[in-house]
Amino acid sequence: MQVQKKAVFSPNGEYFAFADGQGLLKIWDTSSNIVKKQHALHSSVNFVCSSLTWGPSIEKNSKENSDDIRPLEHQCLIIGTETGEVLLYDLIADKFCSLFVTSHSDAVTDLCWYADTNSLFSCSKDQSIAIWDVVSGKLISKWQADDEPLHSICVIDSNNMLSASTSILWWNIEEQTVIKKFSGHDSQILTLLPAISTDKSSNSYFLSVAGGESKISAWRLHAKNSVNAVASFNLPDDLLGIDVTRFFSKENPLLLSAVMKSGALLLFKHVLNGRTRKNLMPQSTLCITSKPTGNTTKSSSIPIIASKFTDNSSSCVVAYGDIENPVFEKVNIEDCPKNLTLSRDKHVVQNNSPEISQVKIYNKLGEYISANGNVSSLSSLHSSPKRRKQKDPDENFDSSQAEKLTNHNDLSEEHDEMPNMSTSKKKPQRKVLPVKNYKIKKETILSDPTNMANSLVQGLQTENRALLNMVLLCSDDRLIRESVVLLPLECLKSLLTEIHSKLINPEERSIYSSRKWLKEILSNNIEYLRNCQELQNILNQLKDFIDQQRVSDTLTKLSKLKGLLHLQRIQLSSINCDSSDSDTQESMET
């Protein structure tokens, strides 16, 4: 059984998104049955989608003049990939953003957006959970949550969430501790969904679906028995997709829709209130068939492929037909009979679909990331030059490297003098690093370049001053050099800003180690720094500081030279005086 995670409705059912195995992302407007957007993820950036979820609908004010301020609503789709990246797609702006600069090291298996805190939760086969701020892309926290690959995640409230592998863990989000373990499944748990009673705050439930089981299990969070579910929704065959109303009460029962692989849609209606003795059966079954045509008098089944309850829960938007070209329809379920069969015309493929667009991904700084991972400025969408190995810098660091970054003529000359990559030793491959728990021991962090790079990235993401100081005060040349090679390019701006603040710090140890870090960053990333307009400001600040240091060093040397000359003059005067006294005494004796 494989519950569909790559075909999802937006929260209000206005849009439907689907990503196929070849990296094609399609988005439909459900009210018009028209493809709104088509993007090729695989051919342009080599991303294959592993999970989808609709994120926040962000309102931004557009001010055309002093008297006209209009809110613009930006609907966001969040994409998890097989290689661990998390992307945000702004449907209105038609732009992909790589906001989440430190993602997972393996496939993203599930995504969950929680509106109350505007946070995105992700889990992965790398056994970790990450929490992000959706707007800024900032990593809030990340930790290893299991010793098996995680398959699903869901949020109950601002401080409680669930994760699932072959068992289900209830987490305290703030403390990152396990409150309870539910171990009633024997196979991979593919989906978790919250079901919260508004009658009592302690009556929180959740639903789970495991592979190989013909049921949907309902669990009560605060139940003493964590091995057996309190209720089970019976399914006749394998489940394809599921939707549920998040809140329920005695007056408004829980609504659950289950799309079967056979093509039928089962509608359940129930008030969860403790343990039930019998499996719960569907209240209604919805099927869709084709109308007879002139060639045949027989009707054929048209499979339902996805469903979504509307805001008032009196109707349900269904997608049916071919997943590559579905039809959407809103069905009234308020007075739905036990068995409902809708007869519909077979869908005719429309010719007004937009062309497939090649994806252009931007990072949180507004920089365009080309297909090979290079970055150019937002105004220039061509790929930046390939990264090439730089000559080793002089052992003593000076301002010449910073000057090269701000002088394009010097950069061109430097580029011509670079050795050919085929004859030079290749650098370790740069990749996005998984963030480890920063509570790791200091000795462990400062003994391994990977741990140092991971800790540095997390310190920058979370603005953890203690962690940043621990790493950046390291002055071991080998560790610094190997750590810099592993750092993601997206973190260089914040890293250079941090180094600049340490350079202007009067503490000698901070200046000494920061100079070493800066030297390695410049020597390993000169091509990227040259082409990134966002970095020019901080680079200019670093150059000004280095120039001031050179002037200060020169004045210090001149002052020392002046003192030496003064001492030399005194010594010469003393010698001349002694010589004069000796001559005077000799003449008196004569």
Side-chain angles (χ1 to χ4, degrees), residues 24 53 123 182 227 259 354 546:
L24 179 63
T53 191
C123 66
F182 300 86
V227 177
V259 178
I546 295 167

Side-chain angles (χ1 to χ4, degrees), residues 48 50 65 115 173 248 269 421:
V48 176
S50 58
N65 54 60
I173 297 174
F248 69 93
K269 190 174 182 180
M421 280 293 290

Side-chain angles (χ1 to χ4, degrees), residues 279-350:
N279 287 349
L280 302 173
M281 304 302 291
Q283 184 185 46
S284 302
T285 301
L286 173 63
C287 297
I288 299 178
T289 60
S290 63
K291 291 181 178 179
T293 61
N295 299 329
T296 177
T297 58
K298 293 183 178 180
S299 60
S300 59
S301 174
I302 301 177
I304 298 172
I305 52 181
S307 65
K308 179 68 180 179
F309 290 112
T310 57
D311 291 339
N312 58 13
S313 301
S314 63
S315 58
C316 181
V317 180
V318 297
Y320 60 89
D322 183 4
I323 189 64
E324 300 288 342
N325 191 34
V327 180
F328 304 94
E329 183 174 338
K330 185 179 290 187
V331 179
N332 186 1
I333 60 172
E334 198 165 18
D335 299 314
C336 193
K338 180 69 176 178
N339 293 287
L340 175 62
T341 301
L342 303 177
S343 182
R344 299 291 183 263
D345 292 323
K346 284 191 174 181
H347 185 51
V348 179
V349 176
Q350 300 182 11

Side-chain angles (χ1 to χ4, degrees), residues 205 216-220 228-234 270-281:
Y205 294 79
I216 300 170
S217 300
W219 306 77
R220 186 179 177 187
N228 299 314
V230 297
S232 295
F233 297 85
N234 191 57
H270 183 72
V271 177
L272 291 172
N273 187 21
R275 189 172 302 278
T276 59
R277 294 182 179 180
K278 297 181 179 180
N279 287 349
L280 302 173
M281 304 302 291

Side-chain angles (χ1 to χ4, degrees), residues 86 98-104 130-134 136-142 363-364 432-436 438 453-465 467-468 487-495 498:
V86 179
S98 181
L99 289 177
F100 313 103
V101 296
T102 307
S103 303
H104 294 278
I131 308 175
W132 318 81
D133 180 274
V134 176
S136 67
K138 179 180 177 181
L139 178 67
I140 299 173
S141 62
K142 185 176 181 181
N363 63 19
K364 64 188 297 184
V432 177
L433 295 164
V435 176
K436 305 290 185 183
Y438 63 75
N454 282 328
S455 301
L456 183 56
V457 171
Q458 176 149 354
L460 294 169
Q461 286 271 356
T462 59
E463 299 179 1
N464 187 316
R465 308 304 311 169
L467 191 60
L468 287 173
L487 291 174
L489 294 174
E490 293 87 347
C491 77
L492 291 184
K493 181 179 180 181
S494 53
L495 177 56
E498 181 67 24

Side-chain angles (χ1 to χ4, degrees), residues 236-284:
D237 59 3
D238 284 347
L239 183 70
L240 180 64
I242 182 174
D243 187 40
V244 66
T245 53
R246 183 182 181 90
F247 299 99
F248 69 93
S249 64
K250 290 182 179 179
E251 292 74 23
N252 297 293
L254 179 78
L255 297 179
L256 186 153
S257 66
V259 178
M260 300 289 99
K261 281 193 174 180
S262 62
L265 174 65
L266 307 183
L267 296 171
F268 295 85
K269 190 174 182 180
H270 183 72
V271 177
L272 291 172
N273 187 21
R275 189 172 302 278
T276 59
R277 294 182 179 180
K278 297 181 179 180
N279 287 349
L280 302 173
M281 304 302 291
Q283 184 185 46
S284 302

